[in-house]
Amino acid sequence: MLKKLLIKILGGNPNKDSTSKKLNPSKEVQPLSTSLEENLLTLRKTLENCADIVFRQFIVQSPSKKVKAFIVYVEGLCDPKSISADLLKPLLSDINQLESPPLDLTSFHKVILEQVLSLTDAQTTTNMLELVETVLNGNVVLILEGSASAIIANLQQLEGRAITEPDSEPAVRGPKDGFVESLHVNASLIRRRIRSSRLKLELHNVGKITKTRIGVVYIQGLANDKVIEEVRRRLKRINLDGILASGYIEELIGDEPLTIFPLIQSTERPDRAAGALLEGRVVILVDNTPLNLIVPCTFVSLLQATEDYYNLSLFATFIRIIRFIALNIALLLPAVVVAVFSFHQELIPTTFLTNVASARQDLPLPIAAEVLLMEITFELLREAGVRLPKTIGQAVSTVGGLVIGQAAVNAGYVAPIPVIVVAMTAIASFTIPSYPAGISIRILRFFLLFCASIMGSVGIMLGLMAILVHLCSLRSFGVPYLSPFAPLSPTDLKDTFIRVPWWAMITRPRLMGSKEPIREDNAQGPTKPDKRGKES
Amino acid sequence: MLTVVVILSTVILFVPSVTAEKAKQSAWIVPMVASLAGVVTLWLVTQLGRRFPNDTLPQYSQMILGKFFGKLLVVWYCFFFIFASILIVHEFIEFTSITLLPATPPMVLSLSLMLVGVYATSKGLEVIARMNQFIFPLLLIALMVGFILSWFKMDLDRLLPLLEEGIKPVIVASWTPASWYGEVIFIAFIFPQLNKPKEIFKKGFLGLMLAAGIMAMMIFFTIAIFGSELSSSFTFPFWSIIRYLEFGKYIQRLEIFLFVIWISSMVIKISVFIYMGNFSITQLFSIKFKTALYPLAGLVVFASVYSFKNIERFMEVLTILWPPIALISEIGFPVFLLIAAILRGKKGGDRRLKR
């Protein structure tokens, strides 16, 4: 209902879809001509005013024949060195060494493809529109006189960032490589971890103008077919003109039109993606984004870091419990403090109460307003810290931490307690591994603060219940968001607040609906040496 | 499990005082007797559900009794659920304003509870059930902690002599709680939506027994700590126990935690009842689910604020007026329906099974 309303207000009309689909050119066929001049003209016309597209005309001179030819490519997407070494050099000089030079024009084309060119990846096409598309994808296209088919040479060389440590999900223990912008590099990072023929990568082109490549990665037999089919269906449904980052996809294929929680997990770590694949989930790689998507996603998985699986299970469990406490602090602390101080003073120990009361005596604002003020200040500082260049960022933190915190107390604006509260909340909220989940918590913190300032603990509880209703109603690709808690799935609790050792991690998460639920054989845990001695 | 929470949330507050007044020291037996009513209702509901596996109570009542009388019955149930919702909301207002927020206008409390309840209802039954699944363990843990801590304050002598005046006062005292156990009638309205309809009697029975057990424990502890005289004079005896508890010098004022959990169960309860009331109305007039929801919720909000002058009046309604109404709709009508169905040989709903 809300979605329809929003679309109506923003002036969209969902019925337009049917007409716009006809304009989609990729399904039409426009054959190449046998005449070189004609092909050149059509191409020039289609690619008019594209200064980055290079046409290079030349003559191929074999011992038997002279044939006019040209190549087309986009400057900067192809490697100029390999164009000259692997494409032009064979055509212009090596062709003379052919033992049986072709006589007519039709076989010329075939001979060149099979005997002359030293390319690893070469294909042919007869469709002009496909040809244009491949050129724009970064391939070199060679067209010869008298042939109605063009040779596509894959000499791509994308200027890409080197593989570096992921900024948003650092880990102390665990691999240090992170996804980069190129889809193929990202796919290779996953493939390097899962060397199985069952690891599948399906490519889709999405975006009417941008034609962004999107890869659906899954392990055949582990992932639920229904989920894979659903992902394909939802990707096909997308009819947007441009996809620039995975965030676009995330909003377009989510289950709920408007929600405050991330329904799709995004990650910058290939090891995390590989782990998710092994749990039977599906990874969606989006070209030009280092943040790739994992579906289905549950609320619990947003609170887990990859490192949990590399540390010893007891350490990981401890850290997870700490993180859960931190989640509660980040969400509830300001609200609880406001509720206690303005509604339930009886909960404060008496000695402390006198302290607090005397400190609060000459303050102008009620505590709810104080906390709100400090929270907003902190959010400002954080946002400023993200936007500013790194060198200036430090100045912001100095100003924020010392000047505002200390000065506000000294000037008598706020009591020291709100400052402590905000500081605690801030630290706690940094422990949440998923950045988007952190943002939802930040927003909900304000919501609960509002509830608490109206009705104290009753307000907090009602607010929490509203959040719970929302959480319960969410699904991510058919998997209930709150699983394995509601609906309860006891065997899956092994990987929530606790993480059982790997030798006990016998089954995959049940609700992912994997076809092969068993992960490993029973009882392969370590045995004590003396016991082993007896056995052997 | 839904049954447990639905029943417990009311029970936690009032039962000990209501029962202790009449049954004195033996009050803790009351829930056992009262839960019989729940079992009877549950049995009737499952019998009817077995006859009409694809229909809800409003649907098959029209099949059994004919259109006019069937609709009349549905109207009755509408009133029943609306009345129950009003009572629930008022209970919430009363308790909250007495214990925690004396200065907050009841309208605000009523409205905010209803907002959350309606939000849950509009998301459908599945969401309510899942919420329940999430809350139930918390409720159980909170109660267990309460029981364990109050263990040290108990004085078992206060429970003696057992059944001093015979079994009669116990049965009289069961009157009110019986109506709460009968609330399992709501299963009749959702029967076709249940996953495993065959197991419903077993599960419902377990739920009822659990609720009865917890309730008995609560009364047991209340009387063992305060004695029957004092228990009956408190408005909210169990609350007073938890309040009275302290553990060392540091763990004090635990009541707020119990309270917080209690609110969550209230939200679930109100959303179940609003759902049922709304469901009956939609069946009656065959309209869309959400059309009736908001006016209905508004009605309940206003009625809950303005219909009771004070808590004495409310307790009167709850203990004297409510039980007969509730028991008639919880046991009387299902019995009637079942007999009528058997006599007229009606069986329904097979066609949809075959499909």
Side-chain angles (χ1 to χ4, degrees):
Chain A
M1 201 171 73
L2 206 58
K3 188 183 170 190
K4 272 183 202 158
L5 195 73
L6 261 182
I7 290 174
K8 215 174 184 182
I9 293 169
L10 300 176
N13 182 2
N15 295 334
K16 278 180 186 164
D17 290 4
S18 53
T19 49
S20 56
K21 255 177 200 156
K22 282 177 196 157
L23 298 174
N24 195 354
S26 63
K27 277 158 201 156
E28 289 169 33
V29 173
Q30 186 189 344
L32 279 170
S33 151
T34 45
S35 151
L36 184 84
E37 300 298 324
E38 211 171 292
N39 284 335
L40 190 58
L41 258 177
T42 351
L43 266 178
R44 280 235 156 101
K45 210 173 168 193
T46 330
L47 301 171
E48 209 176 4
N49 280 342
C50 300
D52 55 339
I53 289 173
V54 179
F55 291 88
R56 162 91 162 80
Q57 283 170 281
F58 53 90
I59 293 169
V60 182
Q61 185 146 31
S62 75
S64 57
K65 224 169 166 56
K66 256 189 189 176
V67 178
K68 278 198 266 179
F70 71 93
I71 56 171
V72 196
Y73 65 92
V74 181
E75 209 177 353
L77 291 187
C78 306
D79 180 12
K81 270 184 206 154
S82 36
I83 292 176
S84 59
D86 302 338
L87 198 70
L88 292 181
K89 190 164 169 269
L91 284 173
L92 295 177
S93 61
D94 298 358
I95 200 163
N96 291 323
Q97 293 151 20
L98 276 183
E99 281 165 14
S100 53
L103 295 172
D104 57 311
L105 285 171
T106 40
S107 61
F108 200 83
H109 177 266
K110 202 179 159 207
V111 168
I112 281 184
L113 187 62
E114 285 172 359
Q115 295 176 24
V116 178
L117 295 176
S118 53
L119 296 167
T120 50
D121 179 8
Q123 287 161 346
T124 58
T125 181
T126 54
N127 183 359
M128 179 60 91
L129 295 166
E130 191 190 332
L131 191 152
V132 172
E133 217 166 273
T134 50
V135 168
L136 295 174
N137 271 344
N139 294 306
V140 183
V141 169
L142 167 70
I143 296 178
L144 293 162
E145 163 98 79
S147 163
S149 101
I151 297 171
I152 303 166
N154 185 357
L155 295 172
Q156 285 183 16
Q157 192 210 35
L158 289 170
E159 288 299 325
R161 191 160 62 93
I163 296 172
T164 52
E165 196 177 348
D167 285 334
S168 59
E169 293 164 84
V172 179
R173 193 173 170 178
K176 307 268 191 238
D177 54 345
F179 282 135
V180 293
E181 277 76 7
S182 154
L183 187 143
H184 288 291
V185 175
N186 291 348
S188 74
L189 285 175
I190 295 178
R191 176 72 73 182
R192 225 185 276 174
R193 290 179 164 79
I194 304 172
R195 300 166 189 216
S196 161
S197 58
R198 286 164 73 191
L199 179 76
K200 307 291 180 194
L201 169 68
E202 282 174 16
L203 280 181
H204 298 259
N205 280 327
V206 179
K208 277 183 291 186
I209 295 177
T210 56
K211 306 231 166 52
T212 311
R213 273 176 303 185
I214 289 177
V216 179
V217 187
Y218 56 91
I219 299 182
Q220 202 172 35
L222 294 194
N224 189 341
D225 290 337
K226 275 185 201 153
V227 174
I228 301 170
E229 191 47 50
E230 190 62 30
V231 171
R232 282 188 203 127
R233 206 175 60 75
R234 290 188 192 177
L235 282 177
K236 272 189 196 124
R237 203 176 58 193
I238 296 177
N239 189 21
L240 199 68
D241 52 359
I243 307 289
L244 295 183
S246 56
Y248 288 46
I249 302 283
E250 192 179 336
E251 281 200 342
L252 286 166
I253 68 174
D255 287 55
E256 194 86 358
L258 265 182
T259 171
I260 204 162
F261 292 99
L263 287 183
I264 293 176
Q265 196 177 345
S266 55
T267 184
E268 215 177 326
R269 299 187 64 93
D271 52 332
R272 178 154 216 182
L277 286 171
L278 286 171
E279 278 181 359
R281 303 201 217 182
V282 178
V283 172
I284 302 174
L285 300 174
V286 181
D287 207 3
N288 306 322
T289 333
L291 278 163
N292 293 304
L293 307 174
I294 301 174
V295 292
C297 151
T298 59
F299 186 66
V300 177
S301 68
L302 295 173
L303 298 179
Q304 295 167 349
T306 0
E307 218 180 326
D308 296 354
Y309 297 100
Y310 306 144
N311 278 323
L312 290 182
S313 81
L314 274 179
F315 302 174
T317 305
F318 171 71
I319 291 169
R320 277 189 181 177
I321 291 170
I322 293 287
R323 214 178 279 142
F324 178 68
I325 295 171
L327 168 77
N328 282 318
I329 291 177
L331 188 63
L332 287 171
L333 187 67
V336 168
V337 166
V338 167
V340 166
F341 277 85
S342 45
F343 289 92
H344 319 293
Q345 285 97 349
E346 75 271 13
L347 289 175
I348 311 170
T350 327
T351 43
F352 185 48
L353 186 64
T354 48
N355 263 344
V356 173
S358 63
R360 293 201 54 79
Q361 222 157 31
D362 354 286
L363 292 174
L365 296 170
I367 189 153
E370 270 177 25
V371 173
L372 185 68
L373 191 76
M374 291 315 283
E375 283 289 346
I376 289 179
T377 315
F378 174 70
E379 293 295 329
L380 286 178
L381 284 172
R382 186 204 292 239
E383 185 58 18
V386 173
R387 298 295 145 224
L388 279 173
K390 271 178 194 154
T391 40
I392 313 176
Q394 287 183 343
V396 170
S397 58
T398 318
V399 170
L402 288 174
V403 181
I404 295 186
Q406 190 63 35
V409 174
N410 284 349
Y413 260 136
V414 293
I417 286 188
V419 180
I420 301 172
V421 166
V422 170
M424 278 289 283
T425 326
I427 293 168
S429 66
F430 287 134
T431 60
I432 296 167
S434 158
Y435 181 68
I439 299 177
S440 349
I441 299 296
R442 271 153 76 184
I443 298 172
L444 290 175
R445 179 158 75 222
F446 282 101
F447 168 65
L448 286 174
L449 188 60
F450 172 73
C451 293
S453 58
I454 297 177
M455 286 193 294
S457 62
V458 181
I460 296 179
M461 206 52 211
L462 287 176
L464 278 179
M465 286 306 282
I467 296 171
L468 183 64
V469 172
H470 185 62
L471 276 172
C472 285
S473 70
L474 293 178
R475 273 167 182 274
S476 169
F477 283 81
V479 175
Y481 199 53
L482 269 187
S483 66
F485 295 110
L488 191 70
S489 158
T491 53
D492 290 353
L493 291 177
K494 64 183 182 296
D495 190 16
T496 50
F497 293 131
I498 53 166
R499 181 184 73 74
V500 297
W502 273 110
W503 46 262
M505 199 78 85
I506 292 166
T507 53
R508 286 175 224 288
R510 193 169 62 84
L511 283 152
M512 297 296 162
S514 172
K515 276 185 286 183
E516 278 182 31
I518 303 296
R519 252 193 151 135
E520 59 188 334
D521 293 332
N522 269 338
Q524 49 173 336
T527 42
K528 281 187 183 167
D530 56 327
K531 212 173 166 188
R532 218 181 306 160
K534 268 178 211 165
E535 274 167 8
S536 58
Chain B
M1 283 215 289
L2 200 57
T3 36
V4 183
V5 173
V6 166
I7 296 168
L8 270 187
S9 45
T10 304
V11 164
I12 288 177
L13 291 182
F14 293 110
V15 169
S17 79
V18 173
T19 48
E21 212 172 312
K22 287 176 185 149
K24 300 274 159 55
Q25 306 90 332
S26 319
W28 58 275
I29 307 175
V30 167
M32 303 300 178
V33 179
S35 66
L36 279 180
V39 176
V40 170
T41 311
L42 191 66
W43 184 79
L44 288 169
V45 165
T46 39
Q47 282 305 313
L48 281 167
R50 222 165 268 169
R51 279 185 162 261
F52 304 93
N54 290 315
D55 296 305
T56 57
L57 193 141
Q59 285 161 346
Y60 56 66
S61 68
Q62 289 182 36
M63 284 156 98
I64 297 170
L65 302 174
K67 238 181 169 160
F68 179 72
F69 287 103
K71 286 225 159 161
L72 216 57
L73 193 70
V74 182
V75 172
W76 170 267
Y77 273 108
C78 282
F79 279 115
F80 170 68
F81 283 119
I82 294 171
F83 194 30
S85 312
I86 293 171
L87 289 180
I88 295 165
V89 178
H90 191 77
E91 197 179 294
F92 174 78
I93 297 173
E94 206 60 73
F95 184 63
T96 321
S97 54
I98 285 177
T99 52
L100 276 176
L101 301 172
T104 312
M107 195 54 161
V108 175
L109 292 173
S110 166
L111 199 65
S112 45
L113 176 70
M114 194 46 95
L115 272 179
V116 181
V118 164
Y119 183 44
T121 310
S122 66
K123 293 279 179 189
L125 200 60
E126 198 194 348
V127 170
I128 300 176
R130 273 209 227 127
M131 261 166 67
N132 181 51
Q133 217 168 19
F134 200 85
I135 292 297
F136 178 66
L138 298 179
L139 185 67
L140 216 54
I141 291 170
L143 284 174
M144 285 304 142
V145 170
F147 288 150
I148 291 167
L149 289 180
S150 46
W151 189 263
F152 306 101
K153 308 272 175 193
M154 274 203 309
D155 181 2
L156 291 177
D157 288 344
R158 297 205 174 104
L159 290 165
L160 297 170
L162 191 61
L163 294 176
E164 193 184 18
E165 293 161 40
I167 193 84
K168 211 173 162 197
V170 173
I171 295 175
V172 175
S174 307
W175 185 242
T176 312
S179 68
W180 289 323
Y181 284 106
E183 280 166 3
V184 290
I185 184 79
F186 76 87
I187 292 175
F189 288 75
I190 54 172
F191 204 84
Q193 290 180 43
L194 295 174
N195 272 344
K196 295 169 188 160
K198 284 197 178 148
E199 287 173 29
I200 192 66
F201 185 74
K202 215 171 95 191
K203 291 208 168 141
F205 186 73
L206 277 178
L208 277 174
M209 286 301 112
L210 191 60
I214 293 174
M215 192 166 146
M217 288 274 278
M218 264 171 3
I219 302 174
F220 188 86
F221 277 92
T222 318
I223 295 173
I225 290 173
F226 289 140
S228 59
E229 299 301 322
L230 204 53
S231 299
S232 58
S233 66
F234 282 130
T235 320
F236 309 115
F238 194 64
W239 166 262
S240 311
I241 287 196
I242 303 285
R243 207 180 167 117
Y244 172 69
L245 287 180
E246 54 176 19
F247 204 68
K249 273 209 161 166
Y250 301 99
I251 305 181
Q252 292 175 339
R253 324 268 337 188
L254 290 167
E255 78 269 15
I256 198 133
F257 295 103
L258 183 82
F259 175 74
V260 153
I261 302 273
W262 173 77
I263 293 180
S264 56
S265 58
M266 281 309 266
V267 169
I268 292 174
K269 187 163 175 175
I270 188 69
S271 40
V272 168
F273 274 82
I274 288 284
Y275 183 91
M276 295 307 154
N278 188 34
F279 182 74
S280 311
I281 292 181
T282 48
Q283 288 290 321
L284 196 61
F285 300 110
S286 49
I287 44 176
K288 263 201 232 158
F289 189 77
K290 282 189 182 165
T291 331
L293 184 58
Y294 302 109
L296 180 68
L299 175 75
V300 173
V301 167
F302 276 97
S304 66
V305 176
Y306 295 115
S307 47
F308 305 101
K309 277 191 202 108
N310 51 35
I311 189 152
E312 293 308 318
R313 187 97 184 78
F314 175 62
M315 291 300 282
E316 220 167 79
V317 171
L318 200 62
T319 49
I320 297 168
L321 180 62
W322 177 242
I325 297 183
L327 286 177
I328 284 174
S329 31
E330 283 159 2
I331 298 184
F333 284 127
V335 167
F336 178 59
L337 277 178
L338 189 61
I339 293 172
I342 293 170
L343 287 182
R344 298 181 67 173
K346 289 257 166 122
K347 260 195 167 184
D350 279 349
R351 60 189 186 281
R352 265 177 282 177
L353 271 184
K354 277 173 196 161
R355 193 169 59 183

